[in-house]
């Protein structure tokens, strides 16, 4: 592995990605133990859930992750909280409608426990979500921009996409996601390198483990400039799941590229 001069950041999205199994309805005691483990192991961010508009069918509170609900969780003060939004749930037929949709669900960050909002959007439709990023940035949030289905694009496309997103001036972390779990290290290396060279802020990677390559793909991404890495406890998530938090943390601890303490997640 190449020498890494900057320590990585780990974002654990167990409750958000794992919620697909149980409609985001987690037991309070389980969540309390989970947050304590996250705090003790020095994970950088917890993506506590989605921030979705109201649904017509039953969904647990972590599909909404409202500010009022989060305040009742008694989240440890030193645990940083993120939520994810699906851009398609907020994009309206006009900019005015889109702004109304997003501001109805988010207040200024100084009045919220949420520090970061991650916006999930299909790679080919990224431009439609920039208005959401701009609005949330004005409200004071750190912005992660998750490009879903980022695989098998041309180098020219990656470069132009980076330049366009860079011009918005609102994105703190540009993520690419292996949404279908089909990426291999060669492709991860190529995308990581291009994004790192053409985007001035941080790069992130969200792996899936369909081909049992989530760990090697993440390590390859780190070698090639990725700073933010997504994980879940035990790799829980849709389909084949994600990269296990305890797996990456142990590897990163051994390589001295993270200040985490894996023992708190391996008991």
């Amino acid at each position: 592995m190449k020498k890494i001069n900057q320590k990585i950041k780990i974002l654990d999205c167990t409750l958000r990605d794992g919620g697909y199994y149980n409609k985001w309805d987690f037991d309070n005691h389980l969540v309390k133990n989970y947050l304590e483990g996250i705090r003790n192991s020095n994970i950088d961010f917890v993506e506590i859930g989605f921030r979705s508009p109201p649904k017509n069918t039953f969904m647990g509170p972590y599909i909404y992750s409202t500010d009022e609900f989060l305040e009742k969780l008694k989240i440890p003060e030193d645990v940083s909280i993120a939520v994810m939004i699906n851009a398609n749930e907020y994009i309206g037929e006009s900019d005015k409608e889109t702004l109304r949709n997003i501001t109805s669900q988010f207040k200024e960050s100084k009045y919220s426990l949420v520090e970061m909002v991650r916006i999930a959007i299909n790679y080919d439709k990224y431009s439609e979500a920039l208005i959401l990023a701009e609005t949330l940035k004005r409200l004071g949030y750190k912005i992660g921009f998750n490009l879903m289905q980022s695989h098998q694009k041309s180098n020219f496309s990656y470069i132009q996409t980076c330049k366009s997103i860079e011009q918005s001036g609102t994105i703190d972390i540009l993520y690419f996601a292996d949404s279908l779990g089909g990426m291999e290290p060669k492709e991860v290396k190529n995308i990581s390198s291009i994004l790192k060279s053409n985007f001035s802020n941080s790069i992130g990677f969200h792996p899936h483990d369909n081909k049992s390559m989530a760990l090697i793909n993440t390590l390859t991404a780190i070698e090639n400039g990725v700073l933010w890495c997504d994980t879940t406890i035990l790799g829980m998530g849709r389909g084949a799941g994600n990269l296990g938090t305890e797996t990456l943390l142990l590897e990163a601890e051994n390589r001295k590229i993270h200040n985490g303490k894996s023992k708190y997640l391996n008991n």
Side-chain angles (χ1 to χ4, degrees):
M1 186 175 185
K2 297 177 182 177
K3 182 179 180 181
I4 306 298
N5 296 320
Q6 190 171 14
K7 292 186 183 295
I8 65 170
K9 303 285 188 180
I10 296 178
L11 182 145
D12 182 277
C13 45
T14 300
L15 300 182
R16 196 269 303 169
D17 237 340
Y20 287 98
Y21 289 122
N22 63 353
K23 295 186 178 181
W24 294 274
D25 190 21
F26 292 95
D27 177 80
N28 289 337
H29 183 67
L30 182 149
V31 173
K32 180 177 182 293
N33 289 340
Y34 161 77
L35 291 172
E36 288 177 356
I38 289 293
R39 178 191 59 191
N40 293 336
S41 57
N42 290 335
I43 297 299
D44 300 279
F45 259 87
V46 168
E47 193 164 74
I48 200 78
F50 281 106
R51 174 72 60 88
S52 289
K55 305 286 186 183
N56 293 326
T57 57
F58 171 77
M59 294 288 178
Y62 296 89
I63 193 71
Y64 307 112
S65 305
T66 64
D67 289 317
E68 294 74 19
F69 172 72
L70 296 181
E71 288 172 0
K72 297 177 182 177
L73 284 182
K74 297 181 180 180
I75 298 170
E77 290 185 3
D78 47 356
V79 172
S80 296
I81 297 297
V83 294
M84 175 174 277
I85 65 170
N86 282 314
N88 291 337
E89 293 184 322
Y90 287 90
I91 296 171
E93 295 183 0
S94 66
D95 286 354
K96 184 177 181 180
E97 182 180 355
T98 300
L99 289 171
R100 183 170 62 247
N101 291 342
I102 194 66
T103 54
S104 70
Q105 300 298 323
F106 287 90
K107 53 192 175 184
E108 290 184 61
S109 63
K110 63 183 178 180
Y111 301 117
S112 174
L113 292 175
V114 174
E115 296 180 37
M116 174 160 57
V117 180
R118 299 208 302 165
I119 303 168
I121 184 70
N122 189 285
Y123 179 97
D124 294 326
K125 297 182 177 181
Y126 76 88
S127 61
E128 298 177 13
L130 291 176
I131 185 174
L132 297 173
E134 292 164 2
T135 304
L136 290 164
K137 191 67 174 178
R138 283 198 299 271
L139 291 174
Y141 295 97
K142 188 181 188 76
I143 305 297
F145 203 68
N146 291 39
L147 298 175
M148 299 186 295
Q149 298 188 24
S150 297
H151 59 290
Q152 298 179 354
K153 311 299 181 185
S154 69
N155 289 354
F156 178 78
S157 175
Y158 291 127
I159 292 171
Q160 292 302 111
T161 297
C162 279
K163 288 182 178 180
S164 177
I165 293 173
E166 179 88 18
Q167 288 176 356
S168 75
T170 60
I171 309 302
D172 298 291
I173 310 163
L174 178 59
Y175 270 88
F176 69 100
D178 182 13
S179 302
L180 304 184
M183 287 187 184
E184 296 189 359
K186 182 178 179 180
E187 184 174 15
V188 171
K189 177 180 179 180
N190 184 57
I191 299 173
S192 300
S193 299
I194 293 175
L195 267 56
K196 177 65 176 176
S197 298
N198 291 278
F199 185 74
S200 59
N201 288 336
S202 298
I203 304 299
F205 177 52
H206 182 91
H208 285 169
D209 206 28
N210 300 51
K211 300 171 75 172
S212 298
M213 288 189 174
L215 178 58
I216 187 60
N217 280 343
T218 297
L219 294 175
T220 299
I222 293 168
E223 287 180 350
N224 291 279
V226 163
L227 177 65
W228 287 79
C229 305
D230 282 11
T231 61
T232 60
I233 301 296
L234 298 176
M236 66 186 298
R238 284 182 291 182
N242 307 297
L243 173 58
T245 305
E246 62 281 5
T247 301
L248 179 60
L249 190 57
L250 180 60
E251 189 74 21
E253 188 178 10
N254 289 337
R255 296 171 186 257
K256 302 188 186 328
I257 58 174
H258 193 273
N259 293 325
K261 301 175 182 178
S262 59
K263 65 180 181 180
Y264 293 106
L265 295 180
N266 285 290
N267 291 337

